[in-house]
Amino acid sequence: MADNGKNRSEKTHYDAIVVGAGVCGIYQIKRLTDMGLDATVLDSAGDLGGTWYWNRYPGARFDSESYTYGYSFSKELLEEWHWKERFSSQPENLRYLNFVADKFDLRKHMQFNCRVEAAHYDEVENLWRVRVGDGRELTCRFLVLGLGLLSIPTLPRLDGMDDFKGQSFHTFYWPHEPVELKGKRVGIIGTGATAIQVIAEIADKVEDLVVFQRRPNWGAPLNNSEISDEEMADIRSRYDEIFAACARTPGGFEHEPDRRGFWEVSREERVALWDKLYDEPGFGIWLRNFREIFTDEKANAEFSDYIADRIRRRVKDPAVAEKLIPFDHGFGVQRVPLETHYYEAYNRDNVHLVDIKDTPIERVTEKGIRTSDKEFDFDIIVYATGFDAITGAFDRIDIRGAGGQRLRDKWQDGPSTYLGMFIHGYPNLLMPAGPQSGSASTNYPRGIEFGVNWCTDFIAYMMSHGYNRAEATPEAEESWTAHVAKMYSTMLMRKAKSWFTGYNSNVEGHEHGKIRYFVYNGGGPKYVSRANRVAENGYEGIEFAPGPVTGTGTRPAAAAE
Ligand SMILES: Cc1cc2nc3c(=O)[nH]c(=O)nc-3n(C[C@H](O)[C@H](O)[C@H](O)COP(=O)(O)OP(=O)(O)OC[C@H]3O[C@@H](n4cnc5c(N)ncnc54)[C@H](O)[C@@H]3O)c2cc1C
């Protein structure tokens, strides 16, 4: 583990500061330091790993195939790492990211327990002033934000949460030390992607489990399996092919959509496809499906009925089954949680479903949770209530650009960016995997690697051309944001109460009503070709200003003491 704070030096100026030591920050610091830049990573966590450092709840695992999630940049790394499961679990994922950092000796560039509280652009000196939680002010030429799009957990807004005398935590903050579950009465609030993983994992380990559900989600089987040495050898021999497939598909997975028209094949043929996909591993049921399920209400409804029947077949009590079937959205218009025996958990005598539409939670008490119907006593309460997604981590930092404009204010009604990587008014600030970029609606690391490479090339371009200031034009930002918004208009997901549309009843201003255009829905290949075209055309949409090129590690002349 990291010697936290070891890398904290007296040093106050860097060529680049990367905020976030997740999949994005780890690769970004490699690229920047390989280029010879003097750069550091700051993370509020106690160690590297981002998502996989934080989310230690039982059942936390990939729903991307492990070998499509790992980095693709190093053949040596691909040769050395053995994924043990098709959908690897959190401890192994964290080990992997540590392995990468150690292999490329990246830890020395990282500083932990360093929350970035503010980042102000200093127009006179053309640098960013970064205020860290420990009181330091650091400066840098380039500020690279790898803050994560699901890195700010949100708790429900319930009275009495502090009164509870047992253990309680959000899944994001599941304790690092083992939590004794045997013999415990556990209450869990939420039935989203995380809850579905936890519930299935702990159902047979606890004495009693009460699930408080407001709105059910559509789940489908993960169909996980171990990867043997022989299978891993085969995967290694096919890595080029695998990553080529990921680059070709909209979602960045190996799963390619069925190109036949939904209405051009018979009902029997549709069902035959769905029967096959339901038993296959991973997101096939979502992404190998007919494309119409994303855009055509009738097609989506027919497929949703098919999945509803599958749920009915798996849950013994018909009344419980009906409660587990979503009523307000169709399958696949929100990110689909993949599960392992989730529905079967409700066949156990010790697992109970409480529909809080019927019997709302009134408050958390000293002993448990009181609904309008009764009081439940618990030893542990788990809040599986999701994230202030996409812009949450940006909103938590006092980011001010040219003229002192606060990003939080600019993005009050939703983000506006150029390519998801630049923000007009915030010079030299880069987001390799920002809101509206190619990452959020795809297999993240595929988008992240592209974004990091693109941003690194961009910095190299600036340095080689003697530019020291770059900023997206307002027109470029406006047109990209309009493009992102327009793509929502054809998608059924625009109607969903989901983090894809900025909905979160536990975050002020995000409750309902206004849609936020959070994710780019054009798919990986279109995003990549657009971003590459921008670069080939001399970074169209970006305004550059010449100036002295900062030598590595030296502070720009104007800023020197
Ligand atoms: C439970 C879970 C399962 C997931 N499974 C998958 C999957 O199977 N496939 C997939 O593609 N994606 C998955 N994701 C999405 C996942 O977030 C991405 O795959 C990927 O890990 C994102 O990496 P990142 O580096 O961009 O962000 P993160 O991993 O979120 O890292 C961001 C880092 O920034 C730090 N940070 C934020 N704000 C500050 C600040 N102010 N100061 C200092 N540090 C800060 C955080 O502490 C964090 O460590 C999952 C997400 C969750 C929550």
Side-chain angles (χ1 to χ4, degrees):
M1 293 300 252
D3 179 0
N4 302 322
K6 186 172 150 198
N7 302 324
R8 261 175 247 186
S9 64
E10 295 305 301
K11 204 169 150 48
T12 56
H13 182 74
Y14 296 88
D15 295 332
I17 290 179
V18 178
V19 190
V23 173
C24 179
I26 292 170
Y27 183 43
Q28 185 64 76
I29 195 67
K30 174 167 190 335
R31 290 298 318 270
L32 293 177
T33 51
D34 281 355
M35 249 170 74
L37 258 70
D38 183 23
T40 192
V41 181
L42 305 175
D43 200 305
S44 55
D47 206 346
L48 60 83
T51 291
W52 305 108
Y53 169 86
W54 289 109
N55 294 274
R56 294 168 189 243
Y57 59 83
R61 64 173 64 248
F62 289 148
D63 44 27
S64 300
E65 280 75 7
S66 312
Y67 48 87
T68 69
Y69 188 99
Y71 294 111
S72 70
F73 67 83
S74 160
K75 287 245 182 286
E76 223 179 83
L77 174 63
L78 292 169
E79 278 303 314
E80 286 170 14
W81 185 259
H82 180 148
W83 290 107
K84 306 276 182 352
E85 289 178 283
R86 197 172 181 107
F87 303 96
S88 173
S89 66
Q90 176 272 332
E92 186 70 353
N93 306 344
L94 186 58
R95 259 196 298 280
Y96 169 74
L97 292 174
N98 274 279
F99 179 80
V100 175
D102 291 340
K103 176 174 173 60
F104 298 106
D105 199 13
L106 302 174
R107 206 173 263 291
K108 63 183 184 222
H109 304 300
M110 297 180 180
Q111 306 181 47
F112 300 112
N113 298 308
C114 291
R115 175 170 299 286
V116 170
E117 294 178 342
H120 293 180
Y121 176 66
D122 180 330
E123 248 164 301
V124 177
E125 301 196 7
N126 182 31
L127 47 71
W128 282 92
R129 295 187 178 281
V130 176
R131 196 177 73 233
V132 188
D134 57 18
R136 287 178 300 161
E137 182 188 275
L138 307 178
T139 55
C140 58
R141 169 72 76 218
F142 296 104
L143 181 63
V144 185
L145 300 181
L147 302 176
L149 304 179
L150 298 170
S151 56
I152 302 293
T154 48
L155 285 167
R157 299 197 242 195
L158 292 174
D159 288 338
M161 283 166 55
D162 291 338
D163 298 345
F164 182 60
K165 296 279 190 249
Q167 267 187 300
S168 65
F169 32 79
H170 190 287
T171 43
F172 183 83
Y173 293 119
W174 192 280
H176 288 203
E177 57 283 357
V179 176
E180 181 58 79
L181 295 170
K182 195 161 174 246
K184 296 289 163 66
R185 297 158 306 167
V186 179
I188 179 162
I189 300 184
T191 48
T194 292
I196 282 177
Q197 290 185 329
V198 186
I199 292 163
E201 185 70 23
I202 69 172
D204 64 351
K205 299 183 178 65
V206 300
E207 169 85 19
D208 199 67
L209 178 61
V210 181
V211 179
F212 295 89
Q213 170 182 274
R214 187 179 48 179
R215 297 188 305 124
N217 257 289
W218 292 102
L222 177 66
N223 295 316
N224 191 19
S225 57
E226 286 182 6
I227 298 180
S228 66
D229 288 350
E230 296 71 44
E231 282 164 330
M232 195 60 222
D234 174 58
I235 289 167
R236 285 202 190 96
S237 73
R238 291 189 299 107
Y239 262 132
D240 285 348
E241 205 182 296
I242 290 168
F243 288 123
C246 294
R248 216 170 38 234
T249 60
F253 294 90
E254 284 184 288
H255 311 295
E256 304 216 26
D258 196 305
R259 302 267 164 204
R260 295 173 299 165
F262 187 99
W263 303 112
E264 282 157 24
V265 301
S266 67
R267 159 91 185 152
E268 287 68 35
E269 283 172 287
R270 294 199 283 275
V271 171
L273 175 68
W274 297 335
D275 282 346
K276 182 167 129 346
L277 294 179
Y278 200 78
D279 293 334
E280 281 182 5
F283 278 137
I285 190 73
W286 192 25
L287 304 176
R288 283 190 196 275
N289 217 313
F290 301 98
R291 289 163 299 169
E292 286 85 345
I293 67 156
F294 295 102
T295 53
D296 177 337
E297 301 262 13
K298 266 179 73 184
N300 183 279
E302 185 183 312
F303 178 57
S304 300
D305 284 346
Y306 170 88
I307 297 286
D309 274 343
R310 285 296 198 145
I311 296 172
R312 290 187 188 103
R313 278 198 247 165
R314 292 175 58 186
V315 179
K316 285 188 190 144
D317 181 337
V320 174
E322 288 315 310
K323 282 191 193 304
L324 290 168
I325 296 171
F327 51 87
D328 64 348
H329 66 284
F331 185 98
V333 304
Q334 298 179 187
R335 204 179 213 270
V336 176
L338 296 179
E339 42 83 26
T340 304
H341 308 314
Y342 171 65
Y343 293 105
E344 286 74 13
Y346 293 95
N347 297 335
R348 299 180 58 86
D349 292 340
N350 70 330
V351 177
H352 321 279
L353 182 65
V354 174
D355 190 331
I356 61 171
K357 275 191 323 323
D358 300 340
T359 54
I361 294 177
E362 289 180 345
R363 61 173 298 123
V364 178
T365 65
E366 277 189 22
K367 289 192 195 156
I369 291 177
R370 193 167 75 217
T371 67
S372 60
D373 179 41
K374 64 187 260 199
E375 178 151 1
F376 296 85
D377 290 355
F378 295 123
D379 302 303
I380 300 172
I381 297 178
V382 179
Y383 298 106
T385 41
F387 298 94
D388 184 355
I390 310 286
T391 48
F394 294 83
D395 288 346
R396 301 276 183 308
I397 304 177
D398 177 14
I399 300 173
R400 297 191 198 191
Q405 186 184 23
R406 277 157 49 120
L407 186 62
R408 204 179 302 156
D409 295 339
K410 180 177 162 106
W411 283 6
Q412 195 177 8
D413 293 328
S416 55
T417 71
Y418 181 41
L419 299 172
M421 295 200 259
F422 299 92
I423 314 162
H424 170 66
Y426 299 77
N428 299 354
L429 183 153
L430 291 154
M431 303 176 292
Q436 303 182 339
S437 75
S439 297
S441 57
T442 63
N443 192 2
Y444 273 72
R446 305 283 54 83
I448 288 174
E449 255 185 342
F450 174 79
V452 166
N453 287 336
W454 198 98
C455 288
T456 310
D457 291 348
F458 179 79
I459 290 173
Y461 174 89
M462 280 183 70
M463 294 180 78
S464 65
H465 285 72
Y467 298 135
N468 71 357
R469 187 183 192 279
E471 182 183 352
T473 65
E475 296 78 22
E477 177 173 298
E478 211 173 289
S479 125
W480 179 256
T481 304
H483 175 57
V484 169
K486 190 158 171 242
M487 269 183 289
Y488 272 74
S489 64
T490 58
M491 311 284 291
L492 296 175
M493 62 111 98
R494 73 187 182 282
K495 298 180 182 168
K497 281 178 162 176
S498 114
W499 57 264
F500 280 178
T501 52
Y503 171 80
N504 184 332
S505 63
N506 297 316
V507 180
E508 213 182 316
H510 289 235
E511 293 91 346
H512 51 78
K514 212 181 158 313
I515 181 169
R516 287 162 200 266
Y517 300 107
F518 270 0
V519 298
Y520 174 82
N521 285 306
K526 277 198 188 133
Y527 180 81
V528 164
S529 92
R530 174 70 191 270
N532 282 342
R533 209 167 55 239
V534 165
E536 281 153 22
N537 292 341
Y539 294 102
E540 62 192 352
I542 309 284
E543 247 166 27
F544 294 97
V549 182
T550 323
T552 59
T554 53
R555 216 164 160 187
E561 281 89 358

